[in-house]
Amino acid sequence: MPRTTVDGTTVHYRTEGQGPGLLLVHGTGATGETNYGHLVKEFADRHTVIFPDYAGSGDTVDDGSPLTLEQLADQVLGAADEATDEPVDVVGFSLGALVAVMAAARRPERVRRLVLVAGWARNDDLRKRLGFTLWRRLADLDPELYSHYISLLLFTPGFLADLDAETFDAAVGGAEVNEGTLRQIELGLDADIRELLPAIGVPTLVVGCRHDQLVPVDHSRELHEAIPRSTYLEIESGHLVPAEAPDELVDAIRNFLT
């Protein structure tokens, strides 16, 4: 797996395909592979797909300090810099949506278009804060309950009820507790990007998940309303839309990028 060093962090990433760059930014507790590996073939026929692991995920190694959106944005763009000199389209899922916005704010010349999936703008929603705080505290109290709890929030009830164990493990990576994921959850509790949104000047698609129990869909609607001239659509899915509704997500991204 290729790697690059960004401000002392060794960032691991993968690339596949040829064409304009498409940077895929994963969510909390995931990697580029777990969120997007099964979707890459849908884009690699017309894009150079770049899917890095930012700090706290995969084989990327940093100093273990608290994470910031600025750091993670620099890391994923560092991977893009290794793959292409041209501006890239950026897809961010969940926490990755916030990282994508920060990337566009910090280095607008490197971002051509944005797709923000199941993201949020603010950190003062009590319901979301309760969910994230319980998620974080369960990691210290009982790793099995931690895994069960987040799994209940990631999917719609019907989809989860029909999953077999192998498919479930592939989708959520076992929802294991690790130090990197905990730092990412803590960043998700603190992150607030409202002041960045009015200045986003690139074409942007915001994708909401209608049945999202982790980050309720109103947060995606707020992102759309705050980003000038953005486009919005909703998918019938729970939060983990890359696993629950991959075809619909791929169609939305491809239609926007073309």
Side-chain angles (χ1 to χ4, degrees):
M1 179 181 288
R3 69 187 70 182
T4 187
T5 301
V6 179
D7 293 331
T9 296
T10 302
V11 180
H12 285 248
Y13 66 96
R14 282 183 54 197
T15 62
E16 191 167 326
Q18 293 183 333
L22 176 60
L23 177 63
L24 304 179
V25 187
H26 63 80
T28 299
T31 65
E33 179 65 32
T34 57
N35 274 170
Y36 300 112
H38 60 300
L39 306 180
V40 167
K41 64 183 183 298
E42 304 294 341
F43 302 108
D45 60 335
R46 64 187 72 184
H47 295 279
T48 297
V49 184
I50 309 147
F51 42 123
D53 299 335
Y54 53 66
S57 288
D59 293 324
T60 291
V61 179
D62 72 333
D63 64 5
S65 61
L67 301 174
T68 69
L69 292 177
E70 290 85 353
Q71 291 171 333
L72 303 190
D74 289 348
Q75 290 167 18
V76 299
L77 286 176
D81 290 341
E82 293 291 313
T84 177
D85 294 330
E86 300 297 322
V88 296
D89 299 322
V90 185
V91 177
F93 166 65
S94 193
L95 180 61
L98 283 69
V99 176
V101 168
M102 182 61 72
R106 285 174 71 78
R107 296 180 63 191
E109 78 285 355
R110 293 294 286 129
V111 177
R112 182 170 45 222
R113 288 171 291 198
L114 283 175
V115 180
L116 309 177
V117 182
W120 67 92
R122 57 191 175 93
N123 60 15
D124 59 355
D125 173 352
L126 179 58
R127 193 244 181 232
K128 176 180 163 293
R129 291 193 64 82
L130 287 171
F132 272 60
T133 299
L134 179 56
W135 184 18
R136 175 62 184 86
R137 292 194 63 190
L138 282 173
D140 296 330
L141 298 174
D142 189 319
E144 185 177 18
L145 288 181
Y146 161 94
S147 176
H148 292 174
Y149 169 76
I150 192 57
S151 300
L152 288 171
L153 296 186
L154 289 177
F155 303 105
T156 55
F159 183 84
L160 182 58
D162 292 337
L163 279 183
D164 59 74
E166 182 178 349
T167 304
F168 173 77
D169 287 342
V172 302
E176 297 177 353
V177 178
N178 62 66
E179 176 270 341
T181 297
L182 300 185
R183 289 191 291 146
Q184 292 169 5
I185 296 172
E186 290 162 0
L187 174 59
L189 270 166
D190 292 337
D192 192 312
I193 57 170
R194 281 176 285 186
E195 66 180 18
L196 303 178
L197 301 177
I200 296 299
V202 299
T204 301
L205 170 66
V206 179
V207 178
C209 299
R210 191 163 295 157
H211 307 292
D212 196 332
Q213 295 299 306
L214 181 63
V215 183
V217 69
D218 282 347
H219 286 275
S220 288
R221 296 168 184 164
E222 290 177 0
L223 279 174
H224 164 55
E225 292 169 1
I227 298 174
R229 298 174 297 282
S230 62
T231 303
Y232 181 73
L233 66 83
E234 287 183 8
I235 293 177
E236 294 285 341
S237 175
H239 184 74
L240 196 55
V241 61
E244 184 164 345
D247 293 342
E248 292 87 342
L249 180 60
V250 166
D251 286 345
I253 295 170
R254 289 186 64 146
N255 290 338
F256 178 71
L257 297 184
T258 57

